[in-house]
Amino acid sequence: MGKNEVTRAAFLDRDGVLNRPVVRNGRPHPPSNPNDFQLYDDVIDGCARLKTASFLLVVITNQPDVGRGIQSRAAVEAMHLKLQSALPSLDRIEICYHGGQRYGQLCDCRKPRPGLILRAAADLNIDLKQSFVIGDRWRDIDCARAAGCRAIFIDRGYKEKLRQTPDFTVTNFSDAVRVVLRDAGVS
């Protein structure tokens, strides 16, 4: 790819999209340590299919428990090493560690704000109109809308309502990949 060539990306949420979250009271939470970090069975193959279709793979993840003092940054980084080892095709991992407004940690990178996507797009010359966000929560869908990407919602059955309508709703990562490839004219 040339330096000025614009490309497309699949922006992937982490917990609930790539790996299994810990669900408590109908709400997903990140695993607390690398030993509990488990990818869904369809993720390795799905990422390979996206990569073969020339999509950049960019993980975009809020990890507010670090900013809130509940999770260590070292534990999150260890999970990301495990993620990169399992998925060497990942081009980048964008992380927001801020705890959010209630914790006095305002930022432009915490989803639903599009800062994680915009930073990667600027650095990697990504065409956001040709790109997709795959997420499992309202914040992911709102982030996709704010960045100008197509939004694919993986409905994991959480007790949480969407605020905006996604372009597509699916029930697993494999189906999300099929939608991306079909919509991009690759399938």
Side-chain angles (χ1 to χ4, degrees):
M1 179 170 74
K3 183 172 174 28
N4 295 322
E5 188 177 335
V6 177
T7 189
R8 58 190 174 191
F11 294 98
L12 312 169
D13 178 49
R14 193 190 85 174
D15 304 313
V17 171
L18 299 177
N19 64 281
R20 298 177 188 280
V22 176
V23 180
R24 292 189 295 267
N25 300 319
R27 295 198 55 202
H29 299 274
S32 59
N33 65 68
N35 293 333
D36 297 333
F37 189 85
Q38 297 180 336
L39 294 180
Y40 284 105
D41 294 338
D42 55 357
V43 166
I44 292 173
D45 179 64
C47 285
R49 292 179 66 210
L50 289 169
K51 200 64 178 175
T52 298
S54 299
F55 278 88
L56 291 179
L57 301 179
V58 180
V59 175
I60 53 170
T61 182
N62 288 349
Q63 294 299 317
D65 288 349
V66 173
R68 297 171 185 169
I70 299 168
Q71 173 74 281
S72 76
R73 192 173 182 141
V76 172
E77 289 171 1
M79 287 183 238
H80 289 163
L81 286 173
K82 192 171 181 179
L83 180 63
Q84 288 171 309
S85 175
L87 297 170
S89 59
L90 292 179
D91 292 286
R92 191 170 192 144
I93 299 176
E94 290 283 344
I95 311 157
C96 174
Y97 289 115
H98 301 105
Q101 187 173 357
R102 274 194 320 213
Y103 293 83
Q105 298 175 18
L106 298 177
C107 63
D108 68 351
C109 57
R110 187 167 190 257
K111 294 181 287 180
R113 292 180 191 90
L116 298 175
I117 290 175
L118 298 178
R119 184 168 52 219
D123 290 351
L124 300 173
N125 209 24
I126 295 169
D127 181 348
L128 296 176
K129 288 182 174 49
Q130 291 185 48
S131 297
F132 296 80
V133 173
I134 302 174
D136 67 325
R137 307 211 40 208
W138 70 267
R139 290 178 178 282
D140 303 314
I141 304 311
D142 287 13
C143 181
R145 293 285 179 242
C149 298
R150 308 276 301 195
I152 300 175
F153 176 64
I154 299 179
D155 188 350
R156 300 282 189 199
Y158 307 138
K159 292 181 182 174
E160 178 178 271
K161 294 196 184 297
L162 294 178
R163 297 180 182 188
Q164 296 190 52
T165 304
D167 293 293
F168 306 97
T169 299
V170 297
T171 58
N172 60 54
F173 191 73
S174 289
D175 287 346
V177 169
R178 274 191 282 281
V179 166
V180 168
L181 297 176
R182 182 187 68 222
D183 198 64
V186 179
S187 65

